[in-house]
């Protein structure tokens, strides 16, 4: 019975694996208004058009040009800073544009329309023994949305998502369809990927796949000061470790000191992938919602939950799981309908060698602030080719923070002030932060974290002089 309780409560841990938090839009927002899952920035839009065919998408572009309307591009709307809409804009909803167009098992490639989700791809390729190379820890997001933010995942042998994109087609503000790759229209490749929908509509994408594999989960605990050396000695230089994640405690009794790490190592022995490759579904949602709700409201619940989830993962030591299933995590249990608060995300990148000192400085800041911090997951971001708005030009640890905050303007201002302090700490350690969240960082912080910011916005105006494609992120940070 005790183990069952641990299993049920531990499902909440997947909250920290989201790159974008999951909530139902507030029932207080009328149909003429639009918001994202963060619920913090509802605005009136001109209309929402669901793109289901190329012709319908082209009609939106043509109408906007004739009537001088702004266009915003939306998928699942999990970016939280107004990246997917704009006041009085035409919002192009791409979720219905989701067909799988081509698949080459031998070359390990798949071409999908940009509204397809990662789950759509997994369902299609799993039976062929193939898997996705890079994606978030949830498979509910659209491909177009994910590459527009250049997402990253758990695979420490791959870089960010851009490294797996072979090519894509882009519908620009003039209504022209452009083939984009590292060889054709190369400049646009590094602008539109990680470009937050500002350079046009990504229509379809060819992705490079990899083999599905069977992994053994191995978990151990350690002190945060040991993590840097542990990672170098036991993870990054061991070719059998293919995926890795760590969590550091946000519980009051062990705040930012205790950690546990889980390595996904290539399985050895007689077990076959076929025994473990059936795609898992979500379950036990109600219990998980309840447990996370308790942790939102009570310090004792945070302490208890940290111990339970740590013990649970230690008990799973040695269990086997397929690569595709590692990339499928609980998400529905994070949906809740509280009218007064919600969960938001921040993500900070810090050089590997700076980790312990960074945690010390972060703890010093947060010990003086009132921030309802629920979870921190740590991943490794391998250096690879990056877009113009690249969040990392060296090997980094990425810390994903799940924060509960109120919806009022006062609560937002409090969170904004704390976020700016945390970003200052991150920048002080030569780190960076991720852009798909609330526009809490200052313009000066963005310029420091993203030194090619001005170049990005200049290229935006060059490729889209009428600024047809826009969103609140652009309005906030365009210089």
């Amino acid at each position: 019975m005790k183990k069952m309780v641990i299993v049920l409560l531990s499902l909440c841990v997947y909250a920290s694996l989201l790159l974008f938090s999951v909530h139902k839009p507030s029932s207080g927002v009328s149909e003429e208004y639009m918001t994202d899952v963060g619920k913090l920035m509802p605005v009136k839009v001109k209309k929402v058009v669901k793109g289901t065919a190329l012709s319908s998408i082209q009609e939106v572009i043509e109408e906007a040009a004739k009537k001088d309307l702004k266009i915003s591009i939306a998928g699942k709307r999990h970016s939280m800073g107004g990246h997917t809409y704009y006041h009085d804009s035409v919002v192009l909803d791409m979720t219905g544009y989701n067909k799988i167009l081509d698949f080459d098992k031998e070359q390990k490639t798949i071409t999908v329309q940009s509204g397809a989700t990662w789950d759509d791809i997994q369902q299609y390729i799993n039976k062929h023994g193939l898997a996705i190379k890079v994606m978030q820890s949830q498979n509910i997001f659209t491909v177009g949305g994910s590459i527009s933010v250049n997402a990253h995942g758990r695979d420490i042998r791959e870089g960010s998502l851009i490294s797996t994109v072979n090519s894509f087609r882009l519908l620009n503000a003039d209504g022209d369809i452009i083939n984009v790759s590292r060889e054709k229209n190369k400049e646009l490749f590094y602008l539109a990927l990680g470009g937050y929908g500002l350079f046009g509509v990504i229509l379809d994408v060819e992705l490079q796949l990899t083999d599905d594999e069977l992994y053994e989960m191995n978990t151990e605990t350690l002190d945060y000061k040991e993590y840097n050396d542990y990672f170098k000695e036991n993870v990054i230089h061991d070719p059998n470790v293919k995926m890795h994640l760590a969590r550091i405690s946000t519980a009051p009794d062990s705040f930012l000191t205790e950690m546990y790490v889980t390595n996904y190592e290539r399985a050895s022995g007689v077990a076959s992938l076929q025994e473990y490759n059936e795609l898992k579904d979500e379950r036990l949602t109600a219990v998980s919602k309840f447990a996370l709700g308790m942790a939102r409201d009570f310090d004792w619940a945070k302490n208890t939950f940290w111990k339970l989830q740590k013990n649970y993962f230690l008990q799973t030591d040695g269990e086997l799981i397929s690569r595709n299933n590692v990339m499928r995590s609980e998400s529905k249990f994070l949906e809740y309908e509280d009218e007064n608060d919600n969960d938001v995300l921040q993500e900070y990148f810090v050089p590997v060698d700076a980790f312990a000192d960074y945690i010390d400085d972060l703890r010093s800041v947060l010990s003086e602030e009132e921030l309802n911090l629920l979870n921190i997951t740590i991943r490794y971001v391998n250096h690879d080719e990056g877009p113009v708005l690249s969040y990392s030009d060296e090997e980094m640890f990425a810390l994903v923070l799940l924060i509960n905050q109120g919806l009022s303007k006062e609560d937002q201002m409090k969170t904004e002030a704390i976020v700016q302090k945390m970003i200052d700490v991150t920048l002080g350690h030569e780190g960076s932060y991720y852009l798909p969240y609330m526009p809490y960082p200052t313009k000066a912080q963005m310029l420091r974290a993203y030194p090619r910011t001005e170049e990005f916005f200049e290229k935006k105006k060059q490729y889209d002089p009428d600024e047809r494609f826009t969103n609140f992120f652009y309005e906030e940070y365009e210089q």
Side-chain angles (χ1 to χ4, degrees):
M1 184 64 184
K2 180 179 179 181
K3 185 174 182 179
M4 178 59 70
V5 172
I6 293 174
V7 170
L8 298 180
L9 291 178
S10 67
L11 294 174
C12 302
V13 73
Y14 292 114
S16 64
L17 304 183
L18 279 178
L19 285 182
F20 312 99
S21 63
V22 182
H23 304 286
K24 294 181 180 178
S26 170
S27 58
V29 179
S30 66
E31 291 183 356
E32 66 178 343
Y33 280 77
M34 187 172 183
T35 186
D36 52 40
V37 294
K39 303 186 294 185
L40 297 176
M41 299 176 62
V43 298
K44 186 179 182 297
V45 299
K46 190 79 173 179
K47 62 179 176 179
V48 179
V49 179
K50 199 170 184 68
T52 56
L54 177 57
S55 59
S56 65
I57 298 171
Q58 290 173 315
E59 287 173 3
V60 170
I61 306 300
E62 293 172 2
E63 179 187 15
K66 290 178 181 178
K67 298 181 179 179
D68 193 24
L69 301 173
K70 301 296 186 183
I71 300 172
S72 299
I73 306 167
K76 294 291 188 178
R77 292 187 283 142
H78 286 261
S79 296
M80 302 170 65
H83 301 75
T84 57
Y85 56 92
Y86 188 70
H87 56 74
D88 293 324
S89 69
V90 177
V91 177
L92 183 55
D93 182 344
M94 296 296 290
T95 55
Y97 194 70
N98 57 5
K99 294 180 180 178
I100 293 176
L101 303 176
D102 189 47
F103 172 68
D104 189 324
K105 183 177 180 179
E106 298 303 318
Q107 296 298 317
K108 301 177 185 177
T109 61
I110 191 167
T111 303
V112 300
Q113 293 178 332
S114 60
T117 65
W118 297 104
D119 181 56
D120 293 332
I121 296 177
Q122 285 187 318
Q123 296 289 349
Y124 191 93
I125 66 176
N126 188 64
K127 59 181 175 289
H128 297 287
L130 295 177
I132 294 162
K133 276 191 171 184
V134 177
M135 56 171 272
Q136 301 99 306
S137 296
Q138 267 67 30
N139 58 10
I140 62 174
F141 311 117
T142 64
V143 172
S146 295
I147 67 174
S148 291
V149 302
N150 191 33
H152 65 91
R154 299 189 198 181
D155 193 319
I156 62 174
R157 307 302 169 185
E158 302 291 340
S160 56
L161 189 53
I162 192 173
S163 65
T164 72
V165 176
N166 292 336
S167 62
F168 59 93
R169 292 196 305 160
L170 185 75
L171 178 62
N172 69 12
D174 295 326
D176 299 326
I177 298 176
I178 303 173
N179 294 312
V180 183
S181 67
R182 292 172 182 82
E183 292 76 36
K184 296 180 180 178
N185 299 296
K186 180 178 179 180
E187 186 174 64
L188 271 174
F189 187 83
Y190 296 99
L191 288 166
L193 292 182
Y196 297 89
L198 294 173
F199 289 85
V201 184
I202 295 173
L203 295 173
D204 43 63
V205 185
E206 182 184 271
L207 296 166
Q208 193 67 46
L209 304 173
T210 190
D211 292 324
D212 197 9
E213 296 179 312
L214 186 62
Y215 299 142
E216 180 179 302
M217 296 173 57
N218 291 304
T219 300
E220 55 187 298
T221 60
L222 66 160
D223 184 88
Y224 78 103
K225 292 181 181 178
E226 303 172 315
Y227 182 53
N228 180 34
D229 289 340
Y230 170 87
F231 183 83
K232 289 180 177 180
E233 295 171 5
N234 299 284
V235 179
I236 195 61
H237 295 304
D238 184 348
N240 288 318
V241 180
K242 300 301 292 291
M243 295 190 182
H244 169 86
L245 64 87
R247 296 186 179 90
I248 188 166
S249 172
T250 58
D253 289 350
S254 53
F255 188 66
L256 298 188
T257 57
E258 291 184 3
M259 296 183 65
Y260 66 89
V261 298
T262 301
N263 297 319
Y264 297 86
E265 302 178 24
R266 190 182 288 112
S268 59
V270 297
S272 67
L273 174 65
Q274 288 70 28
E275 296 177 57
Y276 296 89
N277 71 340
E278 181 180 353
L279 296 179
K280 63 183 181 181
D281 295 317
E282 297 187 30
R283 59 194 184 275
L284 304 174
T285 299
V287 175
S288 302
K289 278 187 176 183
F290 174 77
L292 184 59
M294 296 292 284
R296 289 186 182 105
D297 294 333
F298 302 104
D299 281 350
W300 65 262
K302 288 183 174 70
N303 288 324
T304 301
F305 180 57
W306 169 252
K307 294 175 183 178
L308 289 173
Q309 68 179 21
K310 180 177 62 175
N311 290 338
Y312 166 71
F313 275 91
L314 288 170
Q315 290 182 22
T316 63
D317 202 56
E319 290 190 2
L320 301 178
I321 186 172
S322 73
R323 179 186 181 93
N324 276 328
N325 276 319
V326 173
M327 293 180 167
R328 298 174 69 83
S329 300
E330 296 279 328
S331 59
K332 288 183 179 179
F333 77 90
L334 291 170
E335 298 176 354
Y336 69 106
E337 300 181 6
D338 195 305
E339 297 294 326
N340 300 310
D341 64 0
N342 69 348
D343 295 342
V344 298
L345 286 171
Q346 287 286 297
E347 183 167 359
Y348 305 133
F349 305 92
V350 63
V352 170
D353 288 336
F355 179 77
D357 289 340
Y358 172 72
I359 292 297
D360 285 337
D361 289 345
L362 189 64
R363 188 189 311 107
S364 294
V365 169
L366 293 180
S367 64
E368 300 176 355
E369 303 289 345
E370 292 184 7
L371 186 72
N372 193 3
L373 183 57
L374 300 176
N375 219 324
I376 299 180
T377 295
I378 301 167
R379 306 192 195 107
Y380 171 75
V381 181
N382 194 4
H383 170 65
D384 68 341
E385 59 173 344
V388 173
L389 289 184
S390 177
Y391 45 76
S392 171
D393 59 2
E394 63 176 295
E395 289 78 8
M396 297 272 199
F397 285 135
L399 288 81
V400 185
L401 285 69
L402 184 68
I403 301 165
N404 182 254
Q405 73 158 79
L407 299 181
S408 70
K409 289 296 182 183
E410 181 182 1
D411 287 330
Q412 291 184 49
M413 290 176 64
K414 288 180 180 178
T415 303
E416 179 180 55
I418 298 172
V419 165
Q420 290 177 5
K421 290 181 180 180
M422 291 193 294
I423 290 176
D424 279 341
V425 170
T426 306
L427 294 173
H429 287 273
E430 305 300 323
S432 183
Y433 67 92
Y434 203 21
L435 292 172
Y437 305 123
M438 284 294 293
Y440 291 152
T442 66
K443 292 182 180 180
Q445 287 176 326
M446 181 176 178
L447 284 170
R448 187 173 171 187
Y450 293 86
R452 299 178 70 184
T453 294
E454 293 182 355
E455 175 190 351
F456 176 83
F457 288 127
E458 287 171 3
K459 292 296 182 181
K460 155 66 178 174
K461 293 174 183 176
Q462 175 184 321
Y463 282 100
D464 182 14
D466 294 326
E467 298 176 301
R468 185 72 57 218
F469 297 102
T470 193
N471 53 40
F472 281 107
F473 165 75
Y474 181 66
E475 179 183 68
E476 179 72 21
Y477 293 104
E478 183 272 327
Q479 302 299 310

